[in-house]
Amino acid sequence: MAHLRSRRRLALTLPLGLALTASLGFLPGAASATPANSLAATAGSATADAGALAYVVNTRTDHRTLGSVKKAITEAGGTVVASYDRIGVIVVHASNPDFGKQIRAVKGVQSAGATRMSPLVAAGTTDEGGAQVLSKAQAKSLAAHAGSGAEPLEADQWDLRAIGADKAARINPGSRDVTVGVIDTGVDDTHPDLAPNFSASQSANCVGGKADTSPGAWRPYDPAEDYHGTHVAGEIAAARNGIGVAGVAPGVKVAGIKVSDPNDGLFYPENVVCAFVFAADHGVEVTNNSYYVDPWLYNCMDDPDQKAIVDAVNRAQLYAQKKGTLNLASAGNSNDDLDSDALVDDSSPDDSTPVHRTIDPHKCFDIPTQLPGVVTVSASGPTGAKSYYSSYGKGVIDIAAPGGDKFQIPDTPSKNGRILSTMPGGEYGFLQGTSMASPHAAGVAALLKSAHPRATPAQLQALLKAEADNPGCPSDPYDGDGDGVVDATCEGGKRVNGFYGFGIVDALDAVKK
């Protein structure tokens, strides 16, 4: 399953080079960024555009500039698919091989580039390894261990107890006025543990760069393959209804915003731009982002295509922040030191033939994680130690949360160190990865928003860090897989360090303080 491969996430730290680019995308207007002048009907589907590339064109936001740029797009052989006028991002399909070069020379265009390296034909995640789906017999066996007042499968949810979410639910399970948007592979809202808390009015399919809100459009294309978003949604807000499992914030609402391409499962920039804007315009308070934006693992600012991708996604997520949305993202499963001087990227572009390159993560950016204001989450296991796969880095990781670890064995009926949550079709299964850590933190952020409804995204991030519990760097050399080899070095102190950032989230403290 190509879209379930390891997806690495990087830093929240905003280097100077990105700060300059970020300023291009920060547009203070408070009006809606709903797509204007959409020509999706004439643009047709990806199949109709076979042989074309998709582009993002980033401009100033005045009507005169937008009008002249759209005219130039047509003259250069491009077709406007969607235009987010308030943030100055235009999604375009074009077969002209010189389209990017031509449009970058147009007055008013601040950056423009291809969002993929291979033509459109008739988006990925941060879970580590395949899912372990429970059979009905296994689920029945686990349910026999349910405690009084607990959900049937809760005995295997060591992750809830690790952050006090089981106790927090008795005090404040979260407000119905708070919605967490799952930007992912789609959410099966018919699952009995998700249906009570699902918000269809705040859900959409953003594949192609334009939101489709028709009933069920947010559901997975292929439930057998695209289970990731449903699992994430359950970790956040599975209801305490006497069925299956419980989420960290079982009283809040959850929405599904689908961004994974049906052909290759990749998360292309135009889809993610659409998702952030849609979430912002539909009152979503928190988004979870367990992916990196394809096709580049790192987007280098000296490349015009990659620079345009950073600019476009940054404009969209800054717009969401300004509208009151806190965005969280997973740190990645490569066990990389994300504050290193150099990293090897041999997986990009992942929609065509990858090239081997060594990049400086302070100059080439993984998005959306490295964008300003996005909360970066690393993963911990049942013992509280850093998960063996989780990336880390001093000054990079903001917080940590349970993501699972097959080498850390919990005292649960199944002895499974992974995370148990919802799967499409009313099923349940175990997964591990920083994909699972980020939604735990998103759930705690939703509890904080419930307790502090007027908190801004920046204030929510500060509260999230303040309630976290930091175990500090381990005293012994870190050997995550137990093979006798030191796998990572933790730098920093008890308050802030490279493994946990400000610490592991604490749901109980979030509702008590």
Side-chain angles (χ1 to χ4, degrees):
M1 294 177 286
H3 66 291
L4 294 178
R5 64 189 181 279
S6 173
R7 309 295 304 233
R8 304 196 306 187
R9 310 288 309 134
L10 287 185
L12 173 64
T13 307
L14 179 61
L16 177 60
L18 183 56
L20 297 176
T21 302
S23 66
L24 297 176
F26 189 81
L27 302 173
S32 170
T34 301
N37 302 321
S38 173
L39 298 179
T42 56
S45 66
T47 302
D49 285 334
L53 286 179
Y55 293 82
V56 284
V57 179
N58 306 305
T59 77
R60 296 197 300 267
T61 58
D62 60 280
H63 293 300
R64 183 174 181 177
T65 297
L66 285 163
S68 64
V69 169
K70 289 173 186 176
K71 181 179 179 181
I73 287 170
T74 300
E75 292 174 348
T79 302
V80 174
V81 176
S83 181
Y84 295 90
D85 289 359
R86 293 292 181 182
I87 60 173
V89 177
I90 305 172
V91 180
V92 178
H93 289 176
S95 299
N96 175 8
D98 294 323
F99 177 81
K101 182 179 179 180
Q102 291 179 16
I103 208 66
R104 282 191 288 270
V106 172
K107 183 178 179 180
V109 173
Q110 296 172 319
S111 62
T115 65
R116 59 196 77 193
M117 294 298 104
S118 60
L120 298 169
V121 295
T125 54
T126 45
D127 50 327
E128 173 69 17
Q132 298 177 336
V133 179
L134 289 181
S135 67
K136 290 184 178 179
Q138 289 172 320
K140 183 177 180 180
S141 176
L142 293 181
H145 297 273
S148 176
E151 296 297 282
L153 303 180
E154 193 172 347
D156 254 286
Q157 290 189 273
W158 61 266
D159 48 306
L160 296 187
R161 295 183 289 279
I163 61 174
D166 54 335
K167 296 177 181 177
R170 300 179 197 133
I171 300 172
N172 183 356
S175 169
R176 300 292 293 176
D177 294 329
V178 175
T179 301
V180 180
V182 177
I183 300 177
D184 213 295
T185 62
V187 174
D188 179 7
D189 58 303
T190 69
H191 194 292
D193 252 342
L194 297 178
N197 291 338
F198 191 80
S199 176
S201 65
Q202 294 170 294
S203 299
N205 178 357
C206 270
V207 175
K210 183 178 183 294
D212 174 9
T213 58
S214 58
W218 51 78
R219 292 173 188 152
Y221 286 116
D222 181 354
E225 297 283 332
D226 302 324
Y227 49 74
H228 189 268
T230 302
H231 196 278
V232 165
E235 293 170 57
I236 296 167
R240 285 190 171 273
N241 57 356
I243 301 172
V245 297
V248 173
V252 307
K253 292 187 293 185
V254 64
I257 306 177
K258 184 166 65 179
V259 293
S260 60
D261 188 275
N263 297 299
D264 53 22
L266 301 184
F267 287 50
Y268 289 114
E270 60 269 30
N271 305 354
V272 176
V273 167
C274 170
F276 279 126
V277 172
F278 181 87
D281 285 343
H282 288 78
V284 172
E285 286 81 8
V286 179
T287 70
N288 184 81
N289 301 271
S290 292
Y291 59 89
Y292 70 78
V293 172
D294 299 284
W296 301 94
L297 176 56
Y298 300 97
N299 294 271
C300 297
M301 301 303 287
D302 60 357
D303 180 281
D305 291 323
Q306 295 166 44
K307 177 181 178 181
I309 290 171
V310 174
D311 191 5
V313 177
N314 188 47
R315 290 177 184 225
Q317 72 88 20
L318 284 174
Y319 175 80
Q321 286 186 49
K322 185 169 179 60
K323 296 276 279 188
T325 306
L326 177 67
N327 304 311
L328 296 92
S330 52
N333 302 335
S334 302
N335 190 36
D336 279 343
D337 181 351
L338 304 178
D339 191 37
S340 61
D341 294 330
L343 291 172
V344 172
D345 175 17
D346 56 9
S347 65
S348 303
D350 58 11
D351 67 337
S352 54
T353 303
V355 297
H356 184 97
R357 59 180 186 161
T358 300
I359 63 94
D360 180 349
H362 303 94
K363 297 179 181 178
C364 299
F365 307 112
D366 175 24
I367 57 174
T369 296
Q370 274 189 287
L371 297 177
V374 176
V375 179
T376 305
V377 188
S378 64
S380 59
T383 68
K386 183 186 86 70
S387 298
Y388 72 92
Y389 52 78
S390 181
S391 293
Y392 59 99
K394 183 180 180 182
V396 175
I397 301 301
D398 290 303
I399 52 173
D405 189 319
K406 65 183 180 181
F407 295 113
Q408 298 180 37
I409 308 303
D411 184 16
T412 59
S414 70
K415 308 297 183 186
N416 196 321
R418 299 168 178 85
I419 303 295
L420 179 63
S421 187
T422 49
M423 300 285 280
E427 295 186 308
Y428 300 88
F430 290 95
L431 282 172
Q432 64 178 8
T434 54
S435 270
M436 286 61 253
S438 184
H440 281 77
V444 174
L447 293 177
L448 287 166
K449 183 66 174 179
S450 299
H452 306 277
R454 296 183 181 275
T456 66
Q459 290 169 335
L460 272 184
Q461 181 170 170
L463 290 168
L464 197 58
K465 293 175 179 177
E467 55 71 32
D469 300 319
N470 203 323
C473 288
S475 56
D476 297 325
Y478 177 81
D479 177 14
D481 56 9
D483 64 357
V485 177
V486 176
D487 296 320
T489 300
C490 180
E491 296 183 353
K494 177 70 174 178
R495 181 173 178 270
V496 186
N497 58 65
F499 277 13
Y500 307 102
F502 282 80
I504 301 173
V505 294
D506 189 320
L508 184 57
D509 278 355
V511 299
K512 289 174 63 176
K513 294 182 179 179

